[in-house]
Amino acid sequence: MNIKGLDYNTQREKLLMPEYGREIQKMVDHAVSLPTKEERQRCAETIVRLMESKNPQVQDSANAEQALWDHLYLMSRKQLDIDWPFDVSEAEKILSKPEPMEHPTGGARMRHYGRLIEELFEKLKTMPEGEERDELVRLTANQMKRNLAAWGHGSVDDEKVADDLARFTDGKIQIDLSSFRFESMAPKSNGKKKK
């Protein structure tokens, strides 16, 4: 759509540092075009003060002044010829993207339960019968039920948890639902009564 008089940001050149806005970018472009180095220097110092007020969270960093001058250098597309008060040779690192991170599930087969529950399944397979294993079964089953509820797997019924626990421990752990009691899934109150 091209309507005379309307100028959409989507039709304009993409901003290198959008946190400062298009007006600051226009000022930087103007500073680059100034004829004398003294004018460019004065204009750059003014722009940095404006950038500081426009983006106050930069002030929280240890090298706030350096960061502002680095940003100016990048916004000028490295074309601004002034006496830089800081070394701006490392400024391009700001725009570099970090390496992609590995997904935290670490290859979990059952993402709704998570890697730690899978590790518990493996541990339960090898544990001898006794109180310690019974307690770990109780804790694991209750955590499985909470995880299913958090992932929104429809009705979180006890039978699904018991079935999954038996299946993923190769049948070594069987829960008798007639005697096994799950913890309540109701949200815990903080002791305050609602008015």
Side-chain angles (χ1 to χ4, degrees):
M1 181 159 70
N2 203 0
I3 300 174
K4 187 175 180 177
L6 290 180
D7 186 23
Y8 293 100
N9 282 339
T10 55
Q11 297 168 332
R12 296 178 179 177
E13 184 180 350
K14 189 173 186 235
L15 294 174
L16 283 170
M17 304 207 77
E19 59 266 33
Y20 294 110
R22 197 161 296 280
E23 295 304 316
I24 298 284
Q25 182 63 56
K26 286 180 183 178
M27 290 177 200
V28 173
D29 294 341
H30 174 72
V32 170
S33 69
L34 290 173
T36 66
K37 193 170 191 172
E38 292 78 27
E39 288 177 296
R40 290 191 297 269
Q41 186 74 39
R42 240 187 355 257
C43 191
E45 290 168 2
T46 303
I47 292 170
V48 166
R49 284 195 303 272
L50 286 170
M51 288 167 64
E52 187 176 22
S53 66
K54 188 94 170 161
N55 195 1
Q57 59 267 27
V58 173
Q59 296 172 0
D60 296 339
S61 66
N63 54 352
E65 278 288 312
Q66 169 82 49
L68 290 168
W69 285 98
D70 285 348
H71 294 173
L72 178 63
Y73 177 71
L74 294 170
M75 289 172 71
S76 72
R77 293 166 188 79
K78 307 177 221 166
Q79 302 295 316
L80 190 56
D81 180 24
I82 60 170
D83 294 325
W84 295 94
F86 295 96
D87 178 24
V88 291
S89 62
E90 302 287 316
E92 290 184 27
K93 289 183 179 178
I94 295 170
L95 297 178
S96 66
K97 294 183 179 178
E99 291 294 319
M101 291 177 60
E102 183 182 325
H103 195 276
T105 59
R109 294 173 303 178
M110 303 155 283
R111 290 187 353 203
H112 55 283
Y113 287 135
R115 184 179 46 82
L116 296 176
I117 295 293
E118 284 185 33
E119 289 176 14
L120 287 172
F121 293 152
E122 295 303 315
K123 183 165 180 69
L124 286 170
K125 287 180 192 179
T126 60
M127 279 184 86
E129 289 186 31
E131 282 185 39
E132 188 177 351
R133 185 176 90 169
D134 292 345
E135 180 62 15
L136 189 57
V137 167
R138 186 186 69 76
L139 292 170
T140 303
N142 281 299
Q143 187 60 49
M144 289 170 67
K145 189 169 179 177
R146 282 191 291 276
N147 288 3
L148 284 174
W151 270 72
H153 277 261
S155 65
V156 182
D157 64 322
D158 300 343
E159 287 180 21
K160 169 137 178 74
V161 173
D163 180 55
D164 284 351
L165 190 56
R167 186 166 32 125
F168 295 125
T169 59
D170 299 333
K172 296 202 167 131
I173 304 298
Q174 301 286 330
I175 295 177
D176 181 10
L177 291 175
S178 63
S179 62
F180 187 86
R181 293 290 161 235
F182 285 94
E183 294 173 2
S184 171
M185 294 290 292
K188 295 178 181 177
S189 68
N190 57 7
K192 296 180 182 177
K193 293 182 179 178
K194 290 185 179 180
K195 293 181 182 180

